[in-house]
């Protein structure tokens, strides 16, 4: 599905010296897998996600998606090839309504029932959001869930989520996990790449990659890697206060 | 009887959403002539005798009726000043659709200056929609200088939607309003300028009566080398509430001057202004590009949404 060959990314730091954020990363993400990238803050996780989506361009190495070299391809081209990307900090738009954004994501006209399906999958009561703009009137948690709904509508072959759990505390991890599992089940051969520290998300990974200082520190199956992370900052237990809802859907 | 060519019909659709003769009262002005006029039992439209223009009298208590008074101009070099006075009776509730479309394929400037006065009776409610549109590829400019004066009696409410999205080369819009007690004014202005266009919009609202409220909001986009000035002043002369807001997207080599002004002449006047000018945020473009839009398509979606 996705292959990274010796990918590097350097930036010019404040002291005018080159700083290497990603250092020669090699990675292979097979089809149909859910892979979680974890590791300490500043280790390069979000940068790696942006390199995959085309938001940043690597200073070295090549990227391949379904066998095609996508290193020089733009964000738009990668999106059209089937790469989806959910922002860590979702963007606000004055005037663009929630269903408009879902429709743009789907790339085709949507019936209210279709838009409703994607919104209720992320625990939002669709009728409350039909006329809402994706603007500052929405809470961080609502924006985060709408962001995830845009990927559900898009149905990409590869979905990249950058810290999807951040800000969704009023919903629940369990529902989020239901969404990921549902995506895996319904989009054929799709792969999901999640950047996360959360133990509950690490728990559903087929494979875990630990990124540290811009390098792959270690990688392997969940059973191999997760025990080595427990108790470290790379695996934070979920908040126990929130009870998951049955089935993960919205109740309205 | 209406005799309009295809260009005139297109202009009518652009400025008044009219595909056929409207229901209710109307006057369609085409190249300085009336191309059709109709009064109703409650709404009387009569031409002025001293100057060019109309008197529109709406009987007290008239409900759920509409008045359309669109203007279309297709002759290059035409310049006109039109005076339209609206006398709206107490307790009336009507929709008024104005608007002007100019198609100028010639080399001489075409100009329409509409002077509209609204005398809004007690507890009357008016929704006023005014769209301006220009087309044609002649070197002659399309110029619109609307002047709108609003006089609101006690308990009346006026909602004004002013839209100028395309093709008008030069505009100086002046809107003034005086509000008595419990009157309410809501203005929503949407403006986009491109090319070498210039648009100046000035508001002066006087809140003279107790509990009068005004909410004047402009959203605009300045593209290419265009220039915009938004100058909105609200004066609170009684215990009242006023809010003015200018929110603009600047692109290319565009220039925007926002001059929000508040004047409180009463201790219990509550007045707020907000003004923000900025380019399209890079992460907005990136988000829409990750959904498969090109950069240009993303820009169009953002602007369309912003001006909706």
């Amino acid at each position: 599905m996705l292959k990274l060959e010796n990918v590097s990314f350097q930036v010019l730091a404040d002291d005018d010296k080159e700083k290497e954020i990603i250092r020669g990363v090699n990675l292979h993400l097979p089809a149909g897998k859910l892979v979680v990238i974890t590791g300490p803050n500043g280790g390069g996780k979000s940068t790696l996600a942006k390199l995959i989506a085309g938001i940043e361009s690597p200073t070295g190495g090549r990227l391949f998606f379904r066998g095609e070299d996508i290193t020089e391809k733009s964000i738009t081209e990668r999106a059209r090839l089937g790469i989806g990307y959910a922002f860590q900090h979702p963007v606000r738009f004055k005037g663009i309504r929630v269903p408009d954004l879902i429709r743009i994501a789907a790339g085709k006209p949507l019936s209210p029932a279709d838009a409703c399906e994607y919104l209720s999958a992320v625990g939002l009561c669709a009728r409350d959001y039909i006329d809402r703009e994706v603007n500052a009137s929405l809470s961080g948690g609502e924006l985060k869930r709408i962001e995830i709904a845009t990927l559900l509508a898009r149905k990409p072959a590869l979905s990249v989520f950058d810290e999807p759990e951040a800000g969704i505390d009023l919903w629940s991890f369990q529902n989020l996990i239901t969404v990921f599992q549902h995506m895996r089940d319904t989009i054929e051969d799709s792969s999901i790449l999640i950047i996360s520290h959360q133990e509950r998300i690490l728990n559903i990974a087929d494979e875990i990659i630990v990124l540290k200082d811009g390098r792959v520190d270690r990688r392997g199956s969940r059973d191999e890697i997760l025990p080595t992370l427990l108790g470290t900052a790379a695996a934070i237990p979920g908040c126990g206060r929130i009870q998951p809802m049955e089935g993960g859907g919205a109740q309205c | 009887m209406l005799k309009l060519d295809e260009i005139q019909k297109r202009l009518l659709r652009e400025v008044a959403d009219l595909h056929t003769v409207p229901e209710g009262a109307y006057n369609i002005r085409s190249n300085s002539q009336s191309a059709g006029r109709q009064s109703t039992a409650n709404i009387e439209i009569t031409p002025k005798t001293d100057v060019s223009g109309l008197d529109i009298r709406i009987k007290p208590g008239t409900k759920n009726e509409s008045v359309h008074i669109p203007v279309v101009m297709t002759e290059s070099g035409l310049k006109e000043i039109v005076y339209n006075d609206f006398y709206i009776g107490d307790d009336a509730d009507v929709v008024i659709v104005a608007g002007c479309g100019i198609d100028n394929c010639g080399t001489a400037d075409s100009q329409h200056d509409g002077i509209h006065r609204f005398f809004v009776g007690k507890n009357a409610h008016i929704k006023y929609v005014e769209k301006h549109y220009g087309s044609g590829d002649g070197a002659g400019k399309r110029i619109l200088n609307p002047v709108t004066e609003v006089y609101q009696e006690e308990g009346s409410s006026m909602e004004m939607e002013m839209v100028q999205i395309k093709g008008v080369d030069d505009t100086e819009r002046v809107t003034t309003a005086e509000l008595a007690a419990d009157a309410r004014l809501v203005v929503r202005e949407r403006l986009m300028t491109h090319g070498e266009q210039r648009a100046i919009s000035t508001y002066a609202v006087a809140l003279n009566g107790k509990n009068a409220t005004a909410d004047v909001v402009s959203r605009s986009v300045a593209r290419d080398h265009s220039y915009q000035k938004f100058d909105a002043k609200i004066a609170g002369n009684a215990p009242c509430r006023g809010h003015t807001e200018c929110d603009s997207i600047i692109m290319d080599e565009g220039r925007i001057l926002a001059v929000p002004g508040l004047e409180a002449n009463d201790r219990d006047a509550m007045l707020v202004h907000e003004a923000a000018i900025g380019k399209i945020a890079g992460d907005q473009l990136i988000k829409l590009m990750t959904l498969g839009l090109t950069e240009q398509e993303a820009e169009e979606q953002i602007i369309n949404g912003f001006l909706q």
Side-chain angles (χ1 to χ4, degrees):
Chain A
M1 175 71 74
L2 179 75
K3 208 159 101 178
L4 272 63
E5 279 183 6
N6 204 23
V7 167
S8 302
F9 182 67
Q10 293 179 334
V11 290
L12 212 54
D14 290 342
D15 57 4
D16 276 352
K17 285 185 184 158
E18 294 274 328
K19 191 181 171 201
E20 213 167 15
I21 311 285
I22 298 292
R23 305 163 189 241
V25 166
N26 290 294
L27 206 110
H28 179 230
L29 184 66
K33 296 284 182 194
L34 193 156
V35 175
V36 178
I37 299 181
T38 189
N41 286 332
K45 302 186 296 296
S46 288
T47 304
L48 195 64
K50 286 179 181 164
L51 287 166
I52 293 167
I55 296 166
E56 299 286 3
S57 298
T59 43
R62 315 296 303 172
L63 290 89
F64 298 88
F65 181 65
R66 290 170 152 177
E68 186 177 353
D69 188 338
I70 58 162
T71 316
E72 311 297 333
K73 295 218 180 288
S74 68
I75 301 171
T76 308
E77 288 170 317
R78 293 186 200 198
R80 289 177 180 177
L81 285 172
I83 297 178
Y85 172 78
F87 281 54
Q88 184 180 0
H89 303 290
V91 183
R92 292 178 158 93
F93 296 91
K94 276 183 188 167
I96 294 186
R97 295 171 313 136
V98 174
D100 297 335
L101 197 62
I102 305 281
R103 180 182 46 75
I104 293 168
K108 59 181 184 189
L110 281 183
S111 70
D114 291 337
C116 179
E117 182 194 325
Y118 299 125
L119 289 170
S120 58
V122 293
L124 297 175
C125 176
R127 68 167 173 261
D128 293 341
Y129 292 87
I130 290 300
D131 289 323
R132 296 281 298 274
E133 291 181 16
V134 190
N135 64 14
S137 73
L138 295 174
S139 73
E142 287 172 314
L143 280 168
K144 198 79 181 180
R145 291 197 237 171
I146 291 162
E147 182 74 6
I148 293 165
T150 61
L151 254 68
L152 294 180
R154 189 140 188 85
K155 298 188 173 70
L158 169 65
S159 302
V160 181
F161 291 92
D162 192 355
E163 301 208 11
E165 75 280 4
I168 61 150
D169 51 328
L170 289 175
W171 191 29
S172 80
F173 278 107
Q174 188 53 47
N175 292 328
L176 189 62
I177 285 159
T178 307
V179 167
F180 293 141
Q181 284 168 337
H182 180 71
M183 275 185 99
R184 246 175 102 177
D185 295 343
T186 54
I187 311 172
E188 203 179 335
D189 282 339
S190 69
S191 299
I192 300 173
L193 184 66
I194 306 173
I195 289 171
S196 178
H197 293 283
Q198 290 297 335
E199 190 185 322
R200 290 200 207 176
I201 290 178
L202 289 164
N203 251 324
I204 58 163
D206 297 314
E207 191 175 308
I208 296 172
I209 296 168
V210 181
L211 202 69
K212 192 175 170 187
D213 296 329
R215 290 197 176 90
V216 175
D217 186 64
R218 55 197 190 278
R219 62 177 298 173
S221 69
R222 177 187 60 224
D223 293 342
E224 284 173 74
I225 303 292
L226 190 56
T228 70
L229 297 170
L230 294 176
T232 71
I236 301 167
C239 174
R241 283 176 301 165
I242 294 143
Q243 297 301 314
M245 264 194 296
E246 287 277 324
Q251 302 197 338
C252 57
Chain B
M1 196 62 199
L2 288 175
K3 284 180 190 164
L4 298 172
D5 62 25
E6 287 307 310
I7 295 172
Q8 290 167 321
K9 285 178 186 168
R10 176 170 57 78
L11 292 174
L12 268 182
R13 283 196 298 273
E14 289 287 348
V15 300
D17 293 327
L18 285 181
H19 297 266
T20 176
V21 174
E23 286 184 18
Y26 67 87
N27 183 82
I28 297 172
R29 183 184 176 97
S30 173
N31 292 328
S32 301
Q33 306 283 325
S34 177
R37 179 183 305 140
Q38 178 171 282
S39 295
T40 66
N42 294 321
I43 302 173
E44 185 190 27
I45 302 178
T46 49
K48 284 184 183 296
T49 50
D50 50 345
V51 288
S52 184
L54 303 166
D55 284 328
I56 295 128
R57 294 176 193 279
I58 299 169
K59 283 186 182 169
T62 303
K63 304 276 187 202
N64 302 321
E65 288 198 37
S66 63
V67 185
H68 285 78
I69 50 155
V71 173
V72 293
M73 293 169 78
T74 53
E75 281 177 20
S76 184
L78 209 57
K79 289 189 182 182
E80 60 181 19
I81 303 178
V82 178
Y83 298 85
N84 293 330
D85 289 331
F86 297 81
Y87 300 93
I88 298 134
D90 295 350
D91 301 307
D93 187 347
V94 291
V95 175
I96 299 169
V97 180
C100 181
I102 301 178
D103 184 88
N104 189 351
C105 290
T107 51
D109 294 351
S110 296
Q111 179 170 346
H112 173 86
D113 295 351
I115 320 290
H116 288 182
R117 292 194 299 171
F118 293 87
F119 301 93
V120 187
K122 285 178 186 168
N123 301 315
H125 177 81
I126 301 298
K127 182 169 171 63
Y128 176 66
V129 181
E130 183 186 281
K131 288 184 185 169
H132 286 166
Y133 173 78
S135 61
D137 49 12
K141 286 186 172 175
R142 294 155 289 263
I143 302 169
L144 288 161
N145 295 322
V147 175
T148 310
E149 295 176 21
V150 181
Y151 303 93
Q152 291 186 240
E153 291 190 34
E154 285 175 21
S156 64
S157 109
M158 176 108 179
E159 288 175 48
M160 304 174 79
E161 188 184 335
M162 323 279 237
V163 185
Q164 183 176 312
I165 299 296
K166 212 176 166 199
V168 179
D169 294 298
D170 203 289
T171 292
E172 286 192 27
R173 175 195 294 280
V174 177
T175 308
T176 60
E178 294 179 15
L179 280 70
D182 297 314
R184 172 174 164 267
L185 173 70
V186 175
V187 177
R188 294 287 178 266
E189 183 183 278
R190 288 176 282 150
L191 172 68
M192 183 162 80
T193 52
H194 52 101
E196 303 292 327
Q197 294 172 358
R198 190 182 75 113
I200 293 173
S201 187
T202 305
Y203 288 85
V205 178
L207 300 173
N208 296 333
K210 193 178 176 186
N211 295 329
T213 62
D215 186 23
V216 180
V217 177
S218 165
R219 276 191 179 180
S220 73
V221 177
R223 313 178 81 143
D224 304 329
H225 288 87
S226 63
Y227 175 78
Q228 297 178 3
K229 180 180 173 185
F230 178 74
D231 183 340
K233 184 178 157 195
I234 297 182
N237 302 322
C240 61
R241 288 197 316 274
H243 171 245
T244 168
E245 181 181 331
C246 164
D247 204 344
S248 302
I249 291 178
I250 185 161
M251 300 173 70
D252 310 316
E253 309 296 320
R255 289 181 300 137
I256 300 171
L257 172 62
V259 193
L262 303 176
E263 181 182 325
N265 297 315
D266 187 288
R267 192 183 58 185
D268 291 317
M270 289 191 290
L271 306 174
V272 176
H273 77 66
E274 299 171 78
I277 304 171
K279 64 179 181 183
I280 293 175
D283 56 359
Q284 289 183 331
L285 292 172
I286 289 171
K287 171 64 195 171
L288 296 186
M289 287 157 72
T290 65
L291 298 179
L293 302 190
T294 63
E295 187 170 350
Q296 197 185 348
E297 288 166 345
E299 207 172 87
E300 282 167 16
Q301 282 285 349
I302 292 164
I303 291 170
N304 283 343
F306 184 72
L307 293 175
Q308 225 167 50

